[in-house]
C-alpha cells in the first residue's frame, strides 16, 4: 500500500532507543546526535527504497562527512517478508554502499514509537533529539531523470547549522511498513 508521511511535528522529542545491527552490534540513538541525526526507516524489498539507494548512499555519505549522524531502521515483519531478514540486510547494505548502521527493529516498538508509516520514512533530528524534518529524499522520487534538488541533505545541513529545519517540506512516499499481524 502506497502511503505519504505525515507533516513534520516540529520539536517533537524523539524517543531514545538501542537496536542491534544484523551482526549483533548495539547502537543507541542518543550517541549519534552530535550535529543532528537522520533516522531512515527503510527496508530491502520496497521498490521506492530500491530506486533511491544510490542517492541515499551518496547523500548519507555527505551528511556523515559533515558530522551528522545517520541510522537506518528496518521495522518490517521479516518473517512475512523474508527479503528484509537480517542476513539480507547485510547483503543489501553492502551491495548499495551503505556506510551507516542498518538496524533491526525486531519487535517493531521503535517504528511504532516514531509513528513511522512507510519506507522510506525520514526523521531529521537536531542535536537535542527534536524533530525538524519529516520529508522526502529529493524531488525526483522514483524518477531517475530531471534536475535533482537534494531536499533531505539541504534540510539536515540547515538543522546542523541552526537547529531548525525548513518550514516547507514535501512528504516522503513509499510502501507501508509491514506490521506483525495479531
Amino acid at each position: 500500500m502506497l502511503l505519504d508521511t505525515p507533516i513534520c511535528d516540529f520539536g517533537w522529542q524523539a524517543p531514545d532507543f538501542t537496536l542491534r545491527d544484523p551482526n549483533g552490534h548495539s547502537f543507541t540513538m542518543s550517541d549519534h546526535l552530535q550535529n543532528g541525526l537522520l533516522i531512515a526507516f527503510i527496508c530491502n524489498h520496497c521498490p521506492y527504497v530500491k530506486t533511491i539507494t544510490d542517492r541515499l548512499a551518496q547523500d548519507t555519505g555527505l551528511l556523515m562527512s559533515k558530522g551528522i549522524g545517520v541510522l537506518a531502521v528496518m521495522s518490517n515483519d521479516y518473517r512475512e517478508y523474508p527479503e528484509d531478514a537480517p542476513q539480507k540486510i547485510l547483503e543489501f547494505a553492502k551491495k548499495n554502499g551503505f556506510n551507516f548502521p542498518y538496524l533491526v527493529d525486531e519487535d517493531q516498538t521503535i517504528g511504532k514509537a516514531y509513528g513511522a508509516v512507510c519506507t522510506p520514512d525520514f526523521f531529521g533530528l537536531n542535536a537535542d533529539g527534536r524533530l525538524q524534518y519529516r520529508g522526502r529524499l529529493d524531488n525526483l522520487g522514483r524518477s531517475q531523470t530531471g534536475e535533482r534538488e537534494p531536499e533531505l541533505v539541504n534540510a539536515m545541513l540547515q538543522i546542523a547549522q541552526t537547529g531548525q529545519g525548513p518550514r516547507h517540506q514535501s512528504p516522503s512516499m513509499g510502501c507501508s511498513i509491514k506490521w506483525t499481524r495479531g
Side-chain angles (χ1 to χ4, degrees):
M1 178 190 310
L2 177 64
L3 294 175
D4 289 343
T5 55
I7 298 201
C8 183
D9 183 7
F10 288 97
W12 173 76
Q13 182 65 57
D16 201 4
F17 63 82
T18 300
L19 290 175
R20 296 183 185 278
D21 70 10
N23 290 318
H25 301 110
S26 291
F27 295 85
T28 299
M29 181 275 277
S30 57
D31 292 343
H32 297 270
L33 284 171
Q34 60 258 42
N35 294 320
L37 172 64
L38 169 64
I39 300 173
F41 287 86
I42 62 173
C43 72
N44 302 346
H45 87 271
C46 174
Y48 290 86
V49 173
K50 287 180 178 181
T51 301
I52 66 164
T53 55
D54 289 344
R55 296 179 302 208
L56 181 61
Q58 177 185 347
D59 290 357
T60 55
L62 173 66
L63 294 175
M64 290 185 298
S65 76
K66 303 287 187 186
I68 298 168
V70 177
L71 297 173
V73 176
M74 198 295 296
S75 292
N76 276 355
D77 177 2
Y78 64 82
R79 287 161 193 83
E80 288 290 320
Y81 296 85
E83 194 175 339
D84 295 333
Q87 182 57 40
K88 298 286 187 178
I89 285 174
L90 291 173
E91 296 166 14
F92 190 78
K94 183 177 181 180
K95 174 186 170 195
N96 291 294
F98 292 170
N99 292 319
F100 47 81
Y102 192 176
L103 311 174
V104 181
D105 183 12
E106 185 79 32
D107 61 7
Q108 301 181 314
T109 57
I110 306 310
K112 290 177 181 173
Y114 276 69
V117 296
C118 63
T119 55
D121 197 346
F122 299 108
F123 290 74
L125 309 177
N126 65 17
D128 296 325
R130 297 202 173 273
L131 185 64
Q132 295 295 317
Y133 187 75
R134 182 97 186 258
R136 61 190 181 184
L137 181 73
D138 59 29
N139 61 314
L140 296 181
R142 290 183 68 187
S143 172
Q144 299 295 321
T145 60
E147 189 168 330
R148 182 171 184 246
E149 177 66 32
E151 296 169 20
L152 176 67
V153 165
N154 294 342
M156 291 307 300
L157 292 174
Q158 178 179 327
I159 292 166
Q161 196 170 53
T162 69
Q164 302 289 312
R167 292 299 161 204
H168 174 74
Q169 301 177 13
S170 297
S172 187
M173 181 188 335
C175 299
S176 64
I177 290 184
K178 310 307 184 232
W179 303 110
T180 303
R181 294 184 218 162

